[in-house]
Amino acid sequence: MKDLSEFPRILFYRGNVDFRKRRRGLAAFVEAELQEDPFSKALFVFLNRSRDCIRCLYWDTTGFAMWEKELEKEKFIIPRKRGQEKMELPASQMRWLLEGIDIWKLKPHKHLSFESLLY
């Protein structure tokens, strides 16, 4: 698979997808259901029903390419949020997801704002 930073958008679909669909079936799903352009330079990411397998689809100028990762014992941790079927992920979060890190529970440091060094 290409380096994730090469994709201008990584679009993650939160719902379940029938993995009997192959490249063309997923591309048709992207166009019809997600109302996105499957020929764009975006990476489209899907999960199966049991959430132990992830598929990535992208157009590489000569055809659709698909990449898959299946976990042997664990599941990808994806919370379900109502009303938000698709979301964009930065490349760093996508890498973490593939490495098994729960990206939804990460809490960054709070942003601070100061006007002076004197208290």
Side-chain angles (χ1 to χ4, degrees), residues 3 7 11 13 20 27 46-47 66 83 87 90 105 108 113 119:
D3 181 13
F7 296 101
L11 194 66
Y13 178 68
R20 291 177 291 185
F46 306 95
L47 284 173
M66 188 170 64
M87 65 179 289
K105 289 186 179 179
S113 174
Y119 291 96

Side-chain angles (χ1 to χ4, degrees), residues 20-31:
R20 291 177 291 185
K21 294 180 191 294
R22 302 299 295 165
R23 290 174 299 277
R24 288 188 186 270
L26 287 175
F29 182 83
V30 166
E31 189 172 52

Side-chain angles (χ1 to χ4, degrees), residues 1-51:
M1 185 166 106
K2 293 165 72 174
D3 181 13
L4 292 172
S5 62
E6 292 182 34
F7 296 101
R9 289 178 70 210
I10 299 175
L11 194 66
F12 183 84
Y13 178 68
R14 289 175 176 259
N16 300 325
V17 174
D18 182 356
F19 271 20
R20 291 177 291 185
K21 294 180 191 294
R22 302 299 295 165
R23 290 174 299 277
R24 288 188 186 270
L26 287 175
F29 182 83
V30 166
E31 189 172 52
E33 300 296 322
L34 301 182
Q35 298 179 351
E36 296 282 342
D37 179 9
F39 300 104
S40 69
K41 295 181 180 182
L43 177 70
F44 301 97
V45 183
F46 306 95
L47 284 173
N48 65 347
R49 181 172 305 219
S50 60
R51 301 201 180 285

Side-chain angles (χ1 to χ4, degrees), residues 10-115:
I10 299 175
L11 194 66
F12 183 84
Y13 178 68
R14 289 175 176 259
N16 300 325
V17 174
D18 182 356
F19 271 20
R20 291 177 291 185
K21 294 180 191 294
R22 302 299 295 165
R23 290 174 299 277
R24 288 188 186 270
L26 287 175
F29 182 83
V30 166
E31 189 172 52
E33 300 296 322
L34 301 182
Q35 298 179 351
E36 296 282 342
D37 179 9
F39 300 104
S40 69
K41 295 181 180 182
L43 177 70
F44 301 97
V45 183
F46 306 95
L47 284 173
N48 65 347
R49 181 172 305 219
S50 60
R51 301 201 180 285
D52 64 351
C53 190
I54 198 165
R55 276 197 185 157
C56 300
L57 177 78
Y58 61 95
W59 175 257
D60 79 351
T61 70
T62 58
F64 287 106
M66 188 170 64
W67 182 84
E68 179 177 291
K69 179 173 182 175
E70 184 174 5
L71 299 175
E72 294 298 323
K73 292 189 177 185
E74 298 191 32
K75 298 188 182 301
F76 290 102
I77 301 168
I78 309 299
R80 296 178 190 225
K81 289 188 177 180
R82 292 183 181 156
Q84 191 178 13
E85 287 186 331
K86 60 184 178 179
M87 65 179 289
E88 285 195 45
L89 290 178
S92 59
Q93 285 187 358
M94 184 64 192
R95 276 189 215 93
W96 296 338
L97 178 67
L98 292 172
E99 291 173 8
I101 297 170
D102 185 348
I103 63 175
W104 316 107
K105 289 186 179 179
L106 294 177
K107 292 184 180 178
H109 293 280
K110 291 182 181 180
H111 291 243
L112 302 176
S113 174
F114 296 101
E115 303 212 1

